Amino acid sequence: MKNKKIVLGSILTLLVAFIAVTYFYKNKQTQEYNALLEKKAQFLQRDYSIVEGNKDAKVQLVEFFDPACGTCAQFYPYVKELMKKNDGKIKLVLRYAAFHENSDFAVRVLEAARKQDKFFEVLEFMFSTQQYWIDHHVVNPKKLIAILPKSGVDMEKLANHINDEETTKILQQDLADAKELKVTQTPEYFVNGKPLEKFGLQELIDLVNSEL
């Protein structure tokens, strides 16, 4: 009887130890996973990032884009429609990935327009007029400046901000974050931190719907 009690006591001790070790391991895994998510979150959205829609939305849709990217221009209306259909449930975070030659100039135009609260007006204007200021995938700054007055932006104010050091830092940080997230082309989408594995409109819609 005494031996049975000793055996049962040993088993109970081992069981308690096993539960404790398992809990500790799982808790450590959870902490590491949360830390990884938090680290990734900073790569997806910065304090200065352009955000459209409900900031507390259930779904965070991050798009790395290039103003000179034709596919970005094509997808933009669909992204707007997706947000409209899910009003208040999606926030769009726009990040720069100026991969085309001279695209940094186009980004500077957008950031200067942002100072006038005309970011989206100028973005849509630039997307709709790409054929007039892009030559063989290369941004032509002179041609872009020539047509910009038609966007309604104040050209004098724009000139005052187009070379801001703040924009240089934004360009550098967005490019660094794109590299961390392995962004190699535009547009590149992340939905609640999940990358769009297979590029396509329906694939994007499906990924967003899976998070709603």
Side-chain angles (χ1 to χ4, degrees):
M1 180 65 71
K2 187 176 181 180
N3 288 338
K4 286 183 179 179
K5 287 182 178 179
I6 292 172
V7 171
L8 286 172
S10 298
I11 291 173
L12 184 61
T13 301
L14 288 172
L15 184 60
V16 170
F18 175 76
I19 292 172
V21 170
T22 302
Y23 174 79
F24 175 79
Y25 179 71
K26 285 186 176 179
N27 189 50
K28 187 179 179 182
Q29 275 190 321
T30 301
Q31 288 177 344
E32 289 176 351
Y33 180 70
N34 288 338
L36 185 64
L37 284 180
E38 188 176 339
K39 185 179 180 182
K40 187 177 182 181
Q42 71 175 351
F43 297 139
L44 291 166
Q45 182 177 340
R46 296 286 176 177
D47 291 339
Y48 61 77
S49 297
I50 301 103
V51 178
E52 184 179 25
N54 179 10
K55 293 184 179 181
D56 299 317
K58 185 178 181 180
V59 175
Q60 178 201 53
L61 174 58
V62 179
E63 177 183 350
F64 280 86
F65 80 102
D66 186 328
C69 166
T71 307
C72 295
Q74 292 171 1
F75 264 65
Y76 184 72
Y78 297 117
V79 171
K80 284 187 66 178
E81 183 62 25
L82 185 60
M83 291 184 67
K84 185 178 179 181
K85 285 183 178 179
N86 298 279
D87 188 35
K89 298 178 182 178
I90 302 173
K91 72 170 179 179
L92 174 65
V93 181
L94 292 176
R95 305 295 304 278
Y96 299 116
F99 293 151
H100 287 72
E101 189 174 342
N102 292 340
S103 278
D104 56 336
F105 180 81
V107 170
R108 289 185 176 281
V109 167
L110 284 171
E111 284 299 308
R114 186 179 178 184
K115 301 281 187 183
Q116 302 178 39
D117 293 324
K118 288 187 176 294
F119 176 88
F120 287 102
E121 292 91 334
V122 174
L123 176 63
E124 292 181 15
F125 174 80
M126 288 170 66
F127 275 159
S128 66
T129 59
Q130 283 180 340
Q131 70 269 29
Y132 299 112
W133 54 274
I134 300 174
D135 298 325
H136 305 291
H137 306 290
V138 177
V139 173
N140 187 316
K142 289 183 179 180
K143 289 184 177 180
L144 178 55
I145 288 296
I147 64 172
L148 265 180
K150 296 179 181 178
S151 70
V153 72
D154 185 315
M155 295 300 293
E156 186 176 344
K157 290 181 180 178
L158 186 136
N160 291 334
H161 293 290
I162 203 161
N163 291 315
D164 282 1
E165 183 61 27
E166 181 185 350
T167 303
T168 302
K169 292 177 181 178
I170 289 173
L171 276 161
Q172 292 172 344
Q173 187 63 67
D174 277 15
L175 199 58
D177 288 345
K179 186 177 180 181
E180 287 285 348
L181 294 167
K182 296 179 172 57
V183 175
T184 57
Q185 59 186 7
T186 54
E188 186 75 69
Y189 298 99
F190 294 85
V191 179
N192 285 349
K194 298 176 182 178
L196 185 64
E197 298 290 352
K198 182 182 178 184
F199 185 78
L201 178 59
Q202 190 57 52
E203 286 77 7
L204 176 60
I205 293 171
D206 291 343
L207 182 56
V208 169
N209 286 338
S210 71
E211 294 293 314
L212 287 171

